[in-house]
Amino acid sequence: VMALGLIAVSFVQVARHFRDPSPVSVIVPIQIKTPAEDFVVYAKAMNDAPGAFYAAVQDGDSRQIASAVHHLNNAPYLDQKAHELRETIRNLLLETAAITAPGAATNNAEDLKQKKSELIQRYAVWAKDYNEWLKTGAKKYGGLIKVEPEKTQ
């Protein structure tokens, strides 16, 4: 008798609340990043850096360095070699800013010329290493796709 009473009360409660709005479920969008998306962000930051470096060393314009360093700092971690390359160019940019910024303390024109020459040499080594990494390590991120020219008959 008690079991039948419980069932009857349950049906009454369902009938009373049948027209109530359904509970709201919160849907949280999950953003899944793919390695290719991370590579695009990384490559954009790495491609902006040489322009900032060149403008500072050749033209004495260090205004782009802060933006380039900011993008490098926010670039995602891909692998150890990519991280080392990012840190190398970031340090080159910071050193370049230190000697080319308005009011930078340089002893004389010859000292500045020598420091710029050393930075350019270090940049050349970095560029070689970066291009090598693009040809080998970057492939796993889908970042470098070899395009074959169409064959004509």
Side-chain angles (χ1 to χ4, degrees), residues 15-101:
R16 282 182 53 205
H17 296 289
F18 190 72
R19 299 266 184 232
D20 289 354
S22 61
V24 177
S25 49
V26 177
I27 299 173
V28 178
I30 298 174
Q31 188 176 21
I32 300 173
K33 287 181 155 184
T34 65
E37 290 170 328
D38 282 347
F39 178 81
V40 170
V41 173
Y42 176 87
K44 168 93 172 81
M46 295 297 277
N47 289 336
D48 289 346
F53 178 82
Y54 178 82
V57 171
Q58 296 297 333
D59 303 332
D61 181 7
S62 60
R63 292 177 295 176
Q64 297 175 29
I65 289 181
S67 174
V69 169
H70 173 75
H71 288 115
L72 288 168
N73 287 340
N74 292 322
Y77 179 89
L78 299 179
D79 60 39
Q80 186 59 36
K81 182 65 177 174
H83 177 73
E84 290 169 7
L85 290 164
R86 177 180 55 195
E87 289 302 302
T88 301
I89 190 66
R90 189 178 74 80
N91 290 335
L92 281 170
L93 288 172
L94 294 173
E95 290 177 44
T96 303
I99 66 167
T100 60

